[in-house]
Amino acid sequence: MTRLSVFNSPLLLGFDHMERVLDRVAKSATDGYPPYNIEQTGPHSLRITLAVAGFAREDLSVTVEENQLIVRGRQAAEDAKKTYIHRGIAARQFQKAFVLAEGIEIVRAGLDNGLLHVDLRRPVPASVVRTIPIDGSVDGSDERQILETDGGESSNGA
């Protein structure tokens, strides 16, 4: 069965990476451990808070890989001498990934009372207006001129 996509429209050029990002988000959204909050802390800032009770600072890592914020937790080996009557506190390793928009910066990460806080900032982009000159050629005869202007070479070897 083929999957229909809203990004197949000929009017949405260059959005194929967006479809891959949405697929990645859909796959990672099914894992609920550890629980987390995302809050807006200012007009251009966010905070992700993960509940990581039982994890020490050395057990956690926060990295950015290919526009993904990845938080990993791995506790040291348990003491084999402990015998649990009931074990309700999860001590399993985890990996939580958050897809970041272009330009999002990680400001800091901190551990406080079993909560890992990761602060993010979205820089305000400068408004840029660019005028594109319109030439008189429609049939591609000015290809050589465009290539020379851009510093490229003509495909016909001339």
Side-chain angles (χ1 to χ4, degrees), residues 17-151:
H17 73 284
M18 185 68 76
E19 184 174 15
R20 287 192 300 272
V21 167
L22 290 174
D23 284 343
R24 208 175 330 159
V25 168
K27 288 177 186 173
S28 67
T30 58
D31 184 22
Y33 180 78
Y36 64 92
N37 292 336
I38 301 175
E39 60 182 303
Q40 186 163 359
T41 57
H44 304 286
S45 57
L46 301 169
R47 172 177 274 182
I48 299 172
T49 302
L50 291 96
V52 291
F55 286 86
R57 183 175 292 122
E58 305 82 44
D59 300 333
L60 299 168
S61 71
V62 180
T63 59
V64 177
E65 302 172 16
E66 298 178 11
N67 284 355
Q68 278 194 15
L69 168 67
I70 299 177
V71 180
R72 292 182 179 96
R74 172 176 283 156
Q75 290 182 324
E78 287 271 332
D79 185 5
K81 297 177 184 176
K82 291 183 182 178
T83 304
Y84 291 96
I85 297 172
H86 172 76
R87 186 166 185 177
I89 300 173
R92 64 181 189 238
Q93 66 182 10
F94 69 88
Q95 176 175 313
K96 194 69 144 175
F98 300 90
V99 178
L100 302 175
E102 284 293 324
I104 295 286
E105 299 171 356
I106 309 301
V107 177
R108 64 175 289 277
L111 186 62
D112 182 38
N113 294 325
L115 298 174
L116 176 66
H117 303 287
V118 181
D119 293 324
L120 311 161
R121 178 178 54 221
R122 178 189 320 247
V124 180
S127 178
V128 177
V129 177
R130 195 176 106 199
T131 302
I132 310 301
I134 302 171
D135 62 14
S137 173
V138 179
D139 63 358
S141 62
D142 284 347
E143 179 182 348
R144 182 179 173 99
Q145 181 183 0
I146 292 170
L147 290 173
E148 288 172 0
T149 304
D150 290 341

